[in-house]
Amino acid sequence: MDGYTRGGARTEALLRELRTQLRDGGLHGCLLVRDLHTGDELGIEADTHLPSASLVKVPLALATLERIRRGELDGAMTLEVQPGRVTTPGPTGLSRFRHPARIAIDDLLYLSTCLSDGMAADALFELTPPAQVTGILHEFDIRGIAVRHGVGELSDTPVERFDADQVHLAHALAIDAGTSGRGHRVPQLDTTRANTGSARTYVDLLQALWTPSKIHPDVAQRLRDLMAHNVLRHRLTPDFHSDASTWSSKTGSLLNLRHEIGVVEHSDGQSFAVAALTESLVPAGTQPGADALMAHVARSLRDHLRQL
């Protein structure tokens, strides 16, 4: 479902054009941009739920930081984390370590959120299981984000079963093996089993982090700071970061899924929450054009809202 609050025929024309661009570029896009001061928003299929991939590391960080605030966890406590020893392209940090390492919870938060380190995230999930993460989200009146499992299984997909020159076959399976009800033969893409969310639910989470909400201000500030230091900046960052704006974000990638959520804060005081969740319909692993297209559509929505 598309959504807009103001703008009339000009807004409708823009949405038609952007939907056409997404379709012609081989992307199914679910996006929402919201002005955090006025509440005005503009979106394309903003209520469609997709697997979250690594976006789930933001709710995980929120729950972990809240438990540290409550005194249930000590951020300075160190844990021994086993090495991932992953050799396929993609995973970062501890996931590629060859030997065990002792790391503090605070530093695991950095690795999980800023480097999207799956091993660090799963170490945090062992402390705060998915059901508890969901419960803390509900305490903050954040609903619609399903947290069902850790992230280790995100590295156990058909990509790991094909040789490098056959990765396109894994992406073809991801594209073609779904059902009309969003079930899927690949469990990580089955919305009844995977961690899921929509552009709207993730924008709601961003709004709760950037504006007064039930989240403690110290927790919100710490998570905003982590997202400001996200090192994966190839997707939406080029269209939202400049000398006159800051972009704080988290990416998510899995097979044919390319996501990013974030907040752009302009020097004139305007702030916009952005969620772009996409599925590529092109069976290829490396698609810089898809990253550029989703960024262009997200920025076009922001630009239009900013001009209303």
Side-chain angles (χ1 to χ4, degrees), residues 22 45 55 61 67 73 76 79 89 108 126 156 206 208-209 224 251 260 285 304:
L22 287 167
E45 292 194 41
L55 297 184
R67 294 192 65 208
L73 297 174
L79 304 175
L108 289 170
E126 288 184 13
D156 183 22
L206 293 172
L209 290 169
R224 292 197 302 268
T251 58
E260 187 159 352
H304 189 76

Side-chain angles (χ1 to χ4, degrees), residues 13-282:
L14 173 69
L15 292 173
R16 283 196 301 271
E17 172 61 23
L18 294 178
R19 288 195 300 269
T20 298
Q21 291 179 20
L22 287 167
R23 183 177 63 251
D24 292 348
L27 276 185
H28 172 220
C30 305
L31 300 95
L32 186 68
V33 178
R34 180 182 298 163
D35 186 322
L36 291 179
H37 296 293
T38 68
D40 286 343
E41 61 183 33
L42 194 60
I44 298 172
E45 292 194 41
D47 296 300
T48 297
H49 284 251
L50 294 176
S52 295
S54 287
L55 297 184
V56 76
K57 293 167 185 172
V58 178
L60 170 63
L62 173 59
T64 304
L65 289 167
E66 172 61 15
R67 294 192 65 208
I68 291 173
R69 186 193 70 81
R70 295 174 181 176
E72 298 171 5
L73 297 174
D74 179 356
M77 184 179 76
T78 60
L79 304 175
E80 181 168 300
V81 183
Q82 296 304 308
R85 299 193 179 98
V86 174
T87 58
T88 53
T92 60
L94 296 169
S95 301
R96 307 193 80 84
F97 273 31
R98 300 169 67 97
H99 307 286
R102 292 199 66 83
I103 302 178
I105 292 174
D106 278 335
D107 295 325
L108 289 170
L109 277 166
Y110 168 75
L111 292 171
S112 173
T113 310
C114 302
L115 274 69
S116 206
D117 183 339
M119 293 296 295
D122 277 335
L124 295 174
F125 266 126
E126 288 184 13
L127 298 173
T128 308
Q132 190 172 7
V133 173
T134 300
I136 291 174
L137 289 177
H138 289 176
E139 289 178 28
F140 296 144
D141 290 337
I142 299 168
R143 301 182 182 276
I145 295 175
V147 184
R148 297 185 173 105
H149 57 75
V151 299
E153 66 182 72
L154 298 183
S155 61
D156 183 22
T157 71
V159 167
E160 285 69 44
R161 293 172 174 78
F162 287 103
D163 294 333
D165 61 351
Q166 296 180 314
V167 167
H168 66 283
L169 298 177
H171 286 266
L173 176 65
I175 293 165
D176 296 334
T179 70
S180 59
R182 293 212 159 267
H184 207 287
R185 287 169 57 192
V186 178
Q188 295 92 335
L189 300 179
D190 186 335
T191 56
T192 66
R193 292 186 282 176
N195 300 322
T196 60
S198 67
R200 184 176 304 283
T201 59
Y202 273 106
V203 163
D204 289 343
L205 172 57
L206 293 172
Q207 181 164 357
L209 290 169
W210 258 263
T211 63
S213 71
K214 289 187 175 182
I215 300 174
H216 192 280
D218 293 344
V219 170
Q221 178 59 53
R222 177 75 194 286
L223 188 42
R224 292 197 302 268
D225 183 66
L226 286 169
M227 294 178 68
H229 289 88
N230 177 25
V231 302
L232 302 176
R233 303 178 71 79
H234 63 290
R235 193 158 285 162
L236 300 191
T237 304
D239 279 77
F240 285 104
H241 184 74
S242 71
D243 288 345
S245 63
T246 60
W247 173 245
S248 306
S249 66
K250 179 72 190 77
T251 58
S253 306
L254 174 67
L255 292 170
N256 66 323
L257 301 178
R258 285 170 173 78
H259 306 331
E260 187 159 352
I261 62 171
V263 170
V264 57
E265 298 172 89
H266 297 282
S267 57
D268 64 3
Q270 286 188 300
S271 299
F272 297 86
V274 180
L277 281 60
T278 73
E279 296 173 306
S280 174
L281 305 178
V282 178

